[in-house]
Amino acid sequence: MNDPKIDRQREHQANERTFLAWLRTSIALIGFGFALARFGLFLTQLNLSLTQRNAPLHPLFNSQNLGLSLVVLGIVTIALAAWRYNQVFWQIERGDYRPDRSLVWVMTGAVILLGGLSIPLILWRDREPTPAPQKSLNRQTLRNLNENSRTRSAAKRSHTKTFLLFLARHQNSSR
């Protein structure tokens, strides 16, 4: 009734689908880790521009380390998924498939660990020091800023005027 060749084909296809699911998971881990690390750099730069000073980074609990850990976990996931796919492939071929849940538990533990490490990032974010008061600008500094602004505006107008003259000449020459 059941053709063993068709059953084996279905088992191999199921093995491939499982591998592809692990592959999607690893890509998601790498992408999320990369985004988290880059967003941490963005927040550092934003804090620097707003407060004019660097906020101290915790040596262990920071978004760059957590993002890097997620990227490494994603790479390890790809390697483990390929290893497990190959192992199951040969078990199907030999007809002695044995399910193994150890990889599932290892990955679950790693994601729980990295998720737990993100909790201090969330909690410590609210405890950042308040920004230092801005220095008041004296009159000479204000005059310099105003003069620089006027110079830049005049330069922009000059460039715009030159560009418009160029366009007018180009239109006249093309007719």
Side-chain angles (χ1 to χ4, degrees), residues 1 6 14 16-17 57 60-61 66 83 111 117 126 128 138 140 151 157:
M1 291 202 176
I6 292 176
E16 288 176 11
R17 284 191 301 273
L57 282 179
L60 181 62
F61 299 114
L66 184 60
W83 172 79
V111 171
L117 290 176
D126 296 334
E128 288 182 3
N138 62 26
Q140 182 60 39
T151 304
R157 283 192 301 274

Side-chain angles (χ1 to χ4, degrees), residues 66-81:
L66 184 60
L68 178 63
S69 300
L70 285 170
V71 169
V72 169
L73 179 63
I75 293 168
V76 169
T77 302
I78 290 174
L80 289 174

Side-chain angles (χ1 to χ4, degrees), residues 22 25 29 70 73-74 76-77 80 100-117:
W22 280 106
T25 301
L29 286 169
L70 285 170
L73 179 63
V76 169
T77 302
L80 289 174
D100 184 11
R101 297 183 301 172
S102 61
L103 182 59
V104 172
W105 286 110
V106 166
M107 293 305 299
T108 301
V111 171
I112 287 173
L113 175 70
L114 291 174
L117 290 176

Side-chain angles (χ1 to χ4, degrees), residues 111-175:
V111 171
I112 287 173
L113 175 70
L114 291 174
L117 290 176
S118 66
I119 291 172
L121 289 175
I122 296 167
L123 295 177
W124 287 339
R125 177 156 181 92
D126 296 334
R127 296 184 186 174
E128 288 182 3
T130 56
Q134 296 285 331
K135 292 192 298 185
S136 60
L137 300 176
N138 62 26
R139 288 183 185 190
Q140 182 60 39
T141 305
L142 288 173
R143 270 189 239 122
N144 290 343
L145 288 172
N146 195 17
E147 182 61 34
N148 288 340
S149 176
R150 274 187 266 146
T151 304
R152 281 194 301 269
S153 295
K156 284 181 186 177
R157 283 192 301 274
S158 173
H159 290 306
T160 304
K161 195 176 195 180
T162 304
F163 180 70
L164 291 174
L165 286 172
F166 169 78
L167 283 178
R169 285 186 200 143
H170 182 68
Q171 282 180 339
N172 289 337
S173 67
S174 64
R175 288 182 184 171

Side-chain angles (χ1 to χ4, degrees), residues 20-61:
L20 292 173
W22 280 106
L23 190 62
R24 285 188 299 271
T25 301
S26 64
I27 290 170
L29 286 169
I30 291 170
F32 184 61
F34 185 78
L36 187 63
R38 293 296 159 217
F39 189 67
L41 290 174
F42 167 74
L43 288 178
T44 302
Q45 291 298 321
L46 181 65
N47 185 44
L48 180 62
S49 69
L50 293 176
T51 64
Q52 303 299 319
R53 61 187 168 133
N54 278 329
L57 282 179
H58 192 278
L60 181 62
F61 299 114

